[in-house]
Amino acid sequence: MARGKSQTQRSRSYESDDHERGACEWCEYALVITLATILLIGVSALTIFWVFYYRGGYAWADDTPDKQFNLHPTLMVAGFITFSGFSVLLYRICRCFRRIYVKLLHAIFHALAFPCIVIGFLAVLDYHNKKDINNFYSLHSWIGFVAMGLFGIQYAVGFFSFLLLLICNKGTAGFRASLVPIHAAFGILTFVLGVAACLTGLTEKAIFGLGSEGYAALSTEAIIINAIGMSVVAVAIVVLYTVRGTGGYRVRKVAAQHPS
Amino acid sequence: MARGKSQTQRSRSYESDDHERGACEWCEYALVITLATILLIGVSALTIFWVFYYRGGYAWADDTPDKQFNLHPTLMVAGFITFSGFSVLLYRICRCFRRIYVKLLHAIFHALAFPCIVIGFLAVLDYHNKKDINNFYSLHSWIGFVAMGLFGIQYAVGFFSFLLLLICNKGTAGFRASLVPIHAAFGILTFVLGVAACLTGLTEKAIFGLGSEGYAALSTEAIIINAIGMSVVAVAIVVLYTVRGTGGYRVRKVAAQHPS
């Protein structure tokens, strides 16, 4: 009853998914997934390479605050871009899986992102305190703060609503189905804010790390930092394309059919 | 024939628009439009206020390069955010207008954005040359360069395809209809890249203008620069929400019915 009601309520947001996919559509599907996977792994790999090759690697000790700071860009890119991006993409990749497995994979990838974001945040907080720098003064930090807050709320609400409430499957089907588009919209917003935080953060780091004149000289390191930023932009384009296209209606349609 | 073919080809991307809109939907519609208008005008107004109150206003002379630079953020925010944002929103506002008038308004708002972006670009190019600073070294400039390129291509293709080709209305209907989703997708991409360029540019300006320690002290000017950035983020959320929701399918459906 509840499921039927939710279907009627939200039927205007569904698009047709009744036809078999042709060769062209499967080619596009494979291309997008391959490209997204390369970019998502590549952006984190490039960040790690940059830190080891130009920034002295990682550490967490009182006498090496700069190495401790390096955890911040690495873990934030991993959390907000790589793991979150893969988590969003799973709705495209795992078409033949049972719904509950897709949801668990979605939750697991976000569970991997969670400690990255928390430790990445603590790393920069502790770095600021050690260096006696104010916290939350920059546009980057404001955007990042909103992104982290949304990520936490989304994870808590998603975990509670789409996994824990399954103990009362039938009774909560309508509620869960009505929550799907909200969860999806705020999930995309969180991802986009994470991207914006990464881009402003990379700009800050390039200027602070290389100096304004050093950055303007466009050294190899500057090119690598810019390349990380452009890769983040490319990831955002591919992931949003996936969600915006057939991926989007796939999520909505499956959610309507199986609101659990 | 061409129209029928295009409808069949693209029918899977339409959502139902057959029902009359209820009071709630009209309230949401009015709220989003009002909010978007306030934000779109507000973000440019705040930028102009910031420049006059903290940055000495505008000029274009050899002895005042800093005042000439001020044209860059102001005109880029006006071009990429305010005028482009209004242009996108028009597809939501002008429901009762004839299609050709909506297209002309869309073209006019982009025509207002065009000189803003060109003069804003020339202002910073000339400023860099006067101050002997390299061009196109930063992540901000790379993102901005792609955004400007896309804007130019979109304007040229849009003007040629959706206005000039009307001289051969029937013969080009199929081509024009097939171009609508591509034009819309690249239009959204251009807007989002413009937003990313604004955010990275504001971060650069805050650090260069206030100094790293001055920015960290979070003066009133720093708060205003951050507020401009957060307003740009808010604009992006509202405009993308409008395009993503009923606005999106409105464009697609109308385009299919009247591909001219």
Side-chain angles (χ1 to χ4, degrees), chain A residues 15 134 137 139 215-216 218 226, chain B residues 13 134 137 139 215-216 218 226:
Chain A
E15 294 162 301
N134 272 346
Y137 68 85
L139 179 58
Y215 192 24
L218 203 58
N226 289 359
Chain B
S13 57
N134 272 346
Y137 68 85
L139 178 58
Y215 192 23
L218 203 60
N226 289 0

Side-chain angles (χ1 to χ4, degrees), chain A residues 23-170:
Chain A
C24 270
E25 280 177 272
W26 280 112
C27 274
E28 185 209 331
Y29 171 78
L31 188 75
V32 169
I33 298 300
T34 310
L35 189 66
T37 306
I38 292 169
L39 283 169
L40 286 167
I41 295 173
V43 73
S44 268
L46 195 59
T47 310
I48 292 168
F49 165 77
W50 163 56
V51 167
F52 271 112
Y53 203 83
Y54 292 99
R55 295 279 136 199
Y58 305 98
W60 195 305
D62 287 345
D63 57 337
T64 54
D66 289 330
K67 287 188 180 181
Q68 180 181 324
F69 175 86
N70 294 341
L71 285 167
H72 177 64
T74 312
L75 290 174
M76 287 307 198
V77 166
F80 272 117
I81 309 297
T82 304
F83 288 132
S84 294
F86 269 122
S87 192
V88 173
L89 271 177
L90 281 176
Y91 278 99
R92 283 286 277 161
I93 298 170
C94 306
R95 292 188 169 190
C96 311
F97 284 32
R98 274 189 62 197
R99 188 76 191 146
I100 182 69
Y101 297 150
V102 180
K103 290 206 290 188
L104 281 174
L105 271 175
H106 188 68
I108 287 167
F109 269 95
H110 275 311
L112 291 170
F114 202 90
C116 287
I117 292 169
V118 171
I119 299 170
F121 173 58
L122 292 177
V124 75
L125 212 64
D126 197 50
Y127 167 82
H128 277 182
N129 293 341
K130 277 175 185 164
K131 287 237 175 182
D132 210 18
I133 301 169
N134 272 346
N135 288 306
F136 294 111
Y137 68 85
S138 68
L139 179 58
H140 162 68
S141 62
W142 289 20
I143 296 172
F145 185 73
V146 178
M148 284 190 299
L150 274 176
F151 184 91
I153 294 168
Q154 279 280 103
Y155 197 81
V157 170
F159 191 83
F160 175 78
S161 306
F162 300 117
L163 290 175
L164 279 190
L165 282 188
L166 288 184
I167 51 175
C168 178
N169 195 350
K170 283 191 178 175

